[in-house]
Amino acid sequence: MTERSPDQAPFAIYWRLSSLYFWFFALLGAMLPYWSLYLENRGFGYLQIATLMATIQLTKIISPNLWGWLGDRTGQRVRLVRLGSVMGALCFIGVFFEPGFYGLMFVMLAFTFFWNAVLPLYEVITLQGLGKHRERYGKVRLWGSVGFIASVALVGLVLEYVSLRWLPAILMPLFAGIVMAAFWVPSQSGSIKPSRSPGQLKAVLFQSSVMAFFAMNILLQVSHGAYYTFFSIHLTSIGYDKLEVGLLWSLGVLAEIGLFLLMHRVFQRFSVRMIALMALVLTLLRWCLIAEYSQIVAVLIVAQLLHAASYGALHAVSVNYIHSYFGHQHHGQGQALYSGLTFGAGGAVGAWLSGFLVEWQGTAFAFWGSAAAIFIALIVAAIWLRSPPEPRPS
């Protein structure tokens, strides 16, 4: 058997690595815009819907940290990804029994505990698999966005002809795709990381700019709670059909992709702090437009294009901050804290609070709540956030 050169090896596993991203984000695209509509169709109230949607974010507080720790200690990340994929799919089968509120909450906690473990582990596998060709990560990761966009649009079209009750059945082939892709990943043992000094990590965390960074991102995800939980319900309540809802979700992801392709030029022209402040202002504008002018299609399109700022730019900024402040030695712990505190705790609190606002004054008012959260984040960033230092050495 002829030995492959290092330059050929990454291309040989390109599709293997891309496949799981495609199916994982295809499932996210099929679930995120339509799961709240499914819950509404099942007869759950707005606060119950918000609580159930919050469970998807809640397990991000624990799951990535626990599974990431296991991956670091054992080096068996591929096996853990396969376990998480299989168990996530098996736990989701509980939805088909149409349990009540607490039963469905248990099912969602169970399957997201495994599902939310897959991606953080797989990011490490991908970077190790690419080796010295890490610049190709963007091309591999791009297939996740392709899967999301295709799934959102296709599921939206299908739901125009079939009942929302069929949504769990529509999702099962996507779970199967994740499982197959997980077993297609090249099986290899990763490195086992030694323990790190907790004192050095605390010294990083208690810097005022680092605390401001986390506070800004927690409030950012709180502001997204209404979007991820009630955006689809908001649009259908004012007359948009499910295909239009899906296309609007896809537009936001397309804008995000476009920004990622140009982000290196943005970093060359502006400081990281300035990009964060501009993105927060645009995010504030986005929530105000959705709250007040969603019935005007042109304005709603502009609001969805601003997803490039509210997610794309601020995520790129956050990656830069984590890399700079935590360096190589604490990068994994910094990433876990970022995921758990912001997407996990912030996202769960945002979803839950949006349920109260919708119950009180309706879906539009919930987006005014989002605007209030991002306004506070803007104040925090303007006063305490500083541009990050040069990346810490390993």
Side-chain angles (χ1 to χ4, degrees), residues 25-26 28-31 33-34 145-161 170 174 241-251 253-254:
F25 284 96
L28 187 64
M31 173 171 280
Y34 306 113
S145 299
V146 172
F148 186 97
I149 292 169
S151 180
V152 167
L154 183 59
V155 172
L157 179 62
V158 170
L159 291 177
E160 284 297 304
Y161 298 97
I170 294 171
L174 303 178
D241 62 39
K242 297 178 186 67
L243 177 58
E244 290 169 333
V245 170
L247 291 175
L248 285 165
W249 276 87
S250 297
L251 181 62
V253 179
L254 281 172

Side-chain angles (χ1 to χ4, degrees), residues 24 89 108 110 141 152 220 252 283 298 300 318 330 353 359:
F24 185 92
M108 292 181 67
R141 176 63 175 76
V152 167
L220 173 68
T283 303
L300 193 57
S318 296
H330 296 292
L353 289 178
E359 285 277 7

Side-chain angles (χ1 to χ4, degrees), residues 92-170:
F92 185 78
I93 292 174
V95 173
F96 288 92
F97 296 97
E98 297 195 351
F101 173 72
Y102 291 105
L104 186 56
M105 181 188 293
F106 176 78
V107 170
M108 292 181 67
L109 283 171
F111 100 78
T112 57
F113 173 76
F114 292 102
W115 186 49
N116 282 330
V118 170
L119 189 61
L121 289 167
Y122 195 67
E123 294 276 33
V124 179
I125 294 169
T126 299
L127 291 173
Q128 288 181 345
L130 291 174
K132 67 178 182 179
H133 300 273
R134 292 190 176 190
E135 74 280 358
R136 299 186 184 183
Y137 169 80
K139 293 182 179 180
V140 174
R141 176 63 175 76
L142 179 65
W143 283 98
S145 299
V146 172
F148 186 97
I149 292 169
S151 180
V152 167
L154 183 59
V155 172
L157 179 62
V158 170
L159 291 177
E160 284 297 304
Y161 298 97
V162 303
S163 169
L164 279 161
R165 291 272 178 163
W166 285 93
L167 182 60
I170 294 171

Side-chain angles (χ1 to χ4, degrees), residues 60-339:
K60 288 182 181 178
I61 301 173
I62 299 173
S63 183
N65 290 280
L66 175 59
W67 290 79
W69 178 83
L70 286 172
D72 288 347
R73 291 298 175 267
T74 65
Q76 300 296 321
R77 296 184 185 89
V78 173
R79 290 186 179 181
L80 290 172
V81 164
R82 292 171 179 172
L83 175 64
S85 301
V86 172
M87 291 302 299
L90 291 176
C91 290
F92 185 78
I93 292 174
V95 173
F96 288 92
F97 296 97
E98 297 195 351
F101 173 72
Y102 291 105
L104 186 56
M105 181 188 293
F106 176 78
V107 170
M108 292 181 67
L109 283 171
F111 100 78
T112 57
F113 173 76
F114 292 102
W115 186 49
N116 282 330
V118 170
L119 189 61
L121 289 167
Y122 195 67
E123 294 276 33
V124 179
I125 294 169
T126 299
L127 291 173
Q128 288 181 345
L130 291 174
K132 67 178 182 179
H133 300 273
R134 292 190 176 190
E135 74 280 358
R136 299 186 184 183
Y137 169 80
K139 293 182 179 180
V140 174
R141 176 63 175 76
L142 179 65
W143 283 98
S145 299
V146 172
F148 186 97
I149 292 169
S151 180
V152 167
L154 183 59
V155 172
L157 179 62
V158 170
L159 291 177
E160 284 297 304
Y161 298 97
V162 303
S163 169
L164 279 161
R165 291 272 178 163
W166 285 93
L167 182 60
I170 294 171
L171 297 179
M172 284 311 298
L174 303 178
F175 275 105
I178 293 174
V179 172
M180 288 188 294
F183 280 89
W184 201 28
V185 175
S187 182
Q188 57 186 8
S189 295
S191 60
I192 299 175
K193 294 185 178 180
S195 300
R196 303 298 186 188
S197 168
Q200 293 177 343
L201 180 61
K202 288 181 181 179
V204 173
L205 288 174
F206 285 109
Q207 296 179 53
S208 60
S209 190
V210 174
M211 290 190 288
F213 163 76
F214 279 109
M216 176 191 75
N217 273 290
I218 289 170
L219 287 164
L220 173 68
Q221 293 309 314
V222 168
S223 83
H224 277 77
Y227 179 68
Y228 291 130
T229 307
F230 291 110
F231 185 60
S232 296
I233 291 176
H234 175 65
L235 294 184
T236 56
S237 70
I238 57 178
Y240 290 90
D241 62 39
K242 297 178 186 67
L243 177 58
E244 290 169 333
V245 170
L247 291 175
L248 285 165
W249 276 87
S250 297
L251 181 62
V253 179
L254 281 172
E256 167 197 322
I257 294 171
L259 181 70
F260 278 143
L261 294 174
L262 300 172
M263 201 65 206
H264 64 287
R265 296 183 182 178
V266 179
F267 278 123
Q268 289 171 356
R269 294 194 59 181
F270 303 98
S271 71
V272 178
R273 179 178 183 272
M274 182 57 66
I275 296 170
L277 292 174
M278 290 190 297
L280 289 170
V281 170
L282 291 173
T283 303
L284 176 61
L285 174 62
R286 183 190 187 194
W287 300 144
C288 292
L289 291 177
I290 292 176
E292 195 67 21
Y293 300 107
S294 289
Q295 69 277 12
I296 304 175
V297 176
V299 175
L300 193 57
I301 288 173
V302 171
Q304 283 304 89
L305 290 174
L306 290 177
H307 185 72
S310 63
Y311 177 80
L314 286 166
H315 181 66
V317 163
S318 296
V319 169
N320 190 297
Y321 268 96
I322 292 169
H323 182 59
S324 297
Y325 275 112
F326 291 90
H328 175 75
Q329 185 177 15
H330 296 292
H331 187 268
Q333 290 167 298
Q335 185 65 41
L337 284 169
Y338 170 64
S339 176

